[in-house]
Amino acid sequence: MKRRVLVADDESDMVELLAFVCNNEGWEVVKAYDGEAAIQAALTHEPDLILLDLVMPKLDGIAVCEFLRRHHTTAHIPILMLTGCHSNEAHTLGTGLGASEYITKPFSPRQVAQRARQLIAETTPVLPPELRVNRLVMDVGLEMVHLNGSLITLSHGEFRALAIATETLLRKAGSGQVPLESNEKEAARKQTKGAPASPTDKSVT
């Protein structure tokens, strides 16, 4: 599953620099140049991480962060706040409204990449190439889902949530890629085998 990062900053040079950093990590990049566009892009593309500037036209980073944290589609997405403001008040306000991390400008590309990798790793586990539960088959690389042989269309965010939940289910069940249906049938077979025979099952002599 390819990671997707939203870069939101009103300075085009900064957007291109951050996009370059993300592309070097193998991540897909979505760009926004103002607060309203950032919100729309987050709702449309459901990224795995948002790099968000504090000072932007239309809506600033604080307002964007507050909106995204209140919306069910984007509430879980980690936000790395980027700003030239060095005041403690801005830092406290940003993190208080849901920013996961806070980096002040100027910063090094390596610093951004490191923080971004950490945030993505904390919220998105490493998934196997394929996940199977009964008749549900998920191709993680292609983000494709088949149920009973039929293709199910999901958004990036929907696929991500389903894949994480499925991986967690399989891990906790301790079954790896063994379909849960097999476990259920085996349990039913053992229960039937161990149950006492009913009067109607006895042979007539």
Side-chain angles (χ1 to χ4, degrees):
M1 183 172 63
K2 193 169 186 178
R3 308 303 187 216
R4 181 177 296 166
V5 179
L6 168 60
V7 177
D9 197 303
D10 61 324
E11 298 180 13
S12 58
D13 290 344
M14 182 60 64
V15 170
E16 294 306 317
L17 172 62
L18 294 172
F20 176 79
V21 171
C22 294
N23 287 331
N24 276 351
E25 297 292 327
W27 302 331
E28 179 182 337
V29 177
V30 179
K31 303 174 184 178
Y33 298 92
D34 62 65
E36 290 182 358
I39 288 176
Q40 186 59 49
L43 295 175
T44 301
H45 298 283
E46 302 178 29
D48 300 289
L49 174 68
I50 299 174
L51 304 182
L52 181 64
D53 186 32
L54 179 61
V55 180
M56 290 188 297
K58 296 186 179 180
L59 289 174
D60 62 22
I62 298 297
V64 173
C65 188
E66 185 176 17
F67 177 91
L68 296 179
R69 282 293 171 258
R70 291 179 176 177
H71 198 283
H72 67 92
T73 304
T74 56
H76 66 282
I77 302 174
I79 297 175
L80 180 55
M81 190 79 79
L82 309 171
T83 180
C85 182
H86 294 260
S87 70
N88 290 331
E89 290 183 3
H91 179 278
T92 302
L93 185 58
T95 54
L97 291 175
S100 309
E101 290 279 353
Y102 192 100
I103 296 181
T104 56
K105 301 175 183 179
F107 47 74
S108 69
R110 180 179 298 180
Q111 181 185 16
V112 174
Q114 182 180 11
R115 296 282 187 89
R117 283 195 301 268
Q118 290 173 349
L119 288 173
I120 290 178
E122 290 171 1
T123 55
T124 306
V126 177
L127 299 171
E130 185 178 85
L131 292 165
R132 288 176 175 267
V133 177
N134 297 340
R135 297 176 180 83
L136 176 70
V137 181
M138 305 183 67
D139 186 316
V140 175
L142 297 178
E143 296 192 9
M144 295 178 64
V145 179
H146 286 85
L147 180 62
N148 294 326
S150 299
L151 179 65
I152 307 298
T153 302
L154 298 177
S155 68
H156 176 74
E158 291 170 336
F159 182 90
R160 175 183 179 276
L162 179 59
I164 292 174
T166 303
E167 189 275 338
T168 302
L169 173 65
L170 290 169
R171 177 163 39 82
K172 288 189 175 183
S175 61
Q177 295 297 309
V178 178
L180 299 183
E181 182 180 336
S182 299
N183 295 341
E184 294 172 357
K185 288 183 177 179
E186 180 64 16
R189 186 188 67 79
K190 289 181 179 179
Q191 184 178 6
T192 303
K193 184 177 181 181
S198 65
T200 56
D201 291 336
K202 294 181 180 179
S203 60
V204 179
T205 58

